Every structure is written in structure tokens, then in C-alpha cells.
Amino acid sequence: MNPETEFREGLDELADHYKEILKILGEDPEREGLQKTPMRVAKAMQILTRGYFQDPQKVLTDAIFEEKYNQMVIVKDIDFFSMCEHHMLPFYGKVHVAYIPNGYITGLSKIARVVDIFSHRLQVQERLTQQIKDCIQETLKPQGVMVVIEAKHMCMQMRGVEKQNSITTTSDFSGAFQQAKTREEFMNLLRGESRRI
């Protein structure tokens, strides 16, 4: 499915609701600048929540390869955008994923696709972190997985405390990453010389 050209059932109903929301907010949805807005927003919301209708485990299993490599694999600086489930405002940032294979690896782009699928749902950062880790652990069954997310939240920047420069960091890990030395190696690689690339 191409989310820019194919939309799910309920699109017209969603647009009707946004038209009513505009009225409740004190706007005139019939004025020129707003006439197409309800449908635009409905389409945008279907794109932003497309992850509910995608299977992240299938993405990984479609590209599993037997490989004897048993050192850390890191895919870092994966850009993501998600929607806070509390205020339906965006939060965005970087996801860093590491896993230690146990006989099988997956295509590197598939890790980014897993991030994309889970982030295209209404989320909280803590759960997003855990879902990415659990999906990779359960599907690839590696020696361990670690996920770190650094994000800015528009619900903190645009409303409430209005702190524009705050960054929230979350992490979750399993298996070999329960050892402090392994976690430290991952964090050092995130901060280290590879940043120069």
C-alpha cells in the first residue's frame, strides 16, 4: 500500500469529523482556505497511523539470513516521527538499535522499517522503545537487543511547560545487554569515532 495514494476505509467519515471540529473551534469550514482541510487532515491521520495495519515481525522474517557473525550490529540515527497518544501532537528524534546475532541476521533496512511501523501509531516514547526491542528479540532471537530513543516532544514545546530544548531519552535491553560492559560498549560506539562518518 502506498500511503500517499491509497487510503483505508472510513476516510470520508474521518473528514466529516474534522469538519465538525473546525466548527467547534470557531472556524468556518466553508471558507476558501479550509474547504479541503478536513479531507487533507483525514488523509494525513491515516498516513500517520498506518502502522496499525502493518506487521513488523513479517518485515523482519522476510529478510532473515543465516550468518555466523556474533558481534554487535548497530543501526543508529534512525529518524522517526510519531504522535503522542495523550495530546495527539508529534514527537520526533533518533532511534539507535543494536543486536548481537545468534546464527541469523536481518537486512539492515528492516530494522528501520520496524521503527517506522511502531512509530506510525499513537504512542508514548517508553512503549515505543519496548515494542521495537521486543519485536527484534522475539523475531530474530538474537543473543540480545538494545534500543535507545532520543526525542523532542511537541506536547512539551508547544503547550504545558513550553520547554523547547528538552530531550527525552529512553532505553530498553535484553539478553547480553543486561551486562553493563555490553551496554557500555554500545553507548561508546554511539558517541565515538563513528560519529565522524
Side-chain angles (χ1 to χ4, degrees):
M1 178 179 127
N2 180 348
E4 296 294 342
T5 57
E6 299 175 35
F7 294 94
R8 304 189 300 272
E9 188 178 338
L11 187 65
D12 290 332
E13 184 181 0
L14 195 55
D16 289 341
H17 285 297
Y18 279 115
K19 188 172 184 178
E20 290 305 310
I21 288 169
L22 287 173
K23 289 179 186 175
I24 293 167
L25 292 175
E27 264 293 358
D28 174 12
E30 299 304 325
R31 74 176 173 85
E32 184 180 9
L34 290 177
Q35 285 176 5
K36 296 182 179 179
T37 295
M39 182 54 74
R40 288 189 190 109
V41 177
K43 288 178 177 179
M45 288 305 296
Q46 283 205 355
I47 292 169
L48 294 171
T49 59
R50 67 179 183 253
Y52 287 117
F53 299 90
Q54 297 174 319
D55 183 350
Q57 288 189 319
K58 185 176 185 308
V59 165
L60 291 176
T61 57
D62 282 350
I64 287 183
F65 309 100
E66 191 170 351
E67 188 61 55
K68 291 184 176 165
Y69 186 81
N70 62 0
Q71 299 300 312
M72 197 178 300
V73 176
I74 299 175
V75 184
K76 64 182 182 178
D77 293 332
I78 302 168
D79 291 313
F80 83 95
F81 297 87
S82 193
M83 297 281 282
C84 161
E85 69 179 32
H86 299 146
H87 304 98
M88 290 183 71
L89 289 171
F91 67 99
Y92 60 95
K94 305 279 188 186
V95 179
H96 316 289
V97 178
Y99 75 98
I100 301 173
N102 191 19
Y104 294 91
I105 60 171
T106 189
L108 297 176
S109 67
K110 305 308 178 185
I111 301 292
R113 288 279 294 123
V114 168
V115 171
D116 186 64
I117 289 169
F118 283 118
S119 64
H120 280 79
R121 302 176 182 184
L122 298 181
Q123 280 288 10
V124 294
Q125 184 174 333
E126 296 87 344
R127 183 171 65 238
L128 177 61
T129 308
Q130 186 175 35
Q131 286 177 332
I132 295 166
K133 182 266 297 180
D134 287 346
C135 179
I136 296 168
Q137 183 64 51
E138 292 166 11
T139 309
L140 296 182
K141 297 184 172 34
Q143 296 177 54
V145 180
M146 185 164 177
V147 177
V148 174
I149 299 181
E150 302 168 295
K152 289 191 170 188
H153 291 250
M154 298 305 285
C155 57
M156 285 183 65
Q157 295 177 304
M158 295 175 65
R159 54 159 300 283
V161 294
E162 296 185 11
K163 300 302 179 192
Q164 279 70 41
N165 297 311
S166 65
I167 295 174
T168 301
T169 303
T170 51
S171 67
D172 198 5
F173 49 85
S174 63
F177 288 94
Q178 292 175 4
Q179 300 173 28
K181 183 178 179 183
T182 310
R183 291 197 306 276
E184 184 179 352
E185 179 186 349
F186 174 44
M187 297 308 291
N188 285 340
L189 287 167
L190 285 185
R191 293 187 294 259
E193 291 82 23
S194 55
R195 286 282 183 187
R196 299 175 193 163
I197 293 174

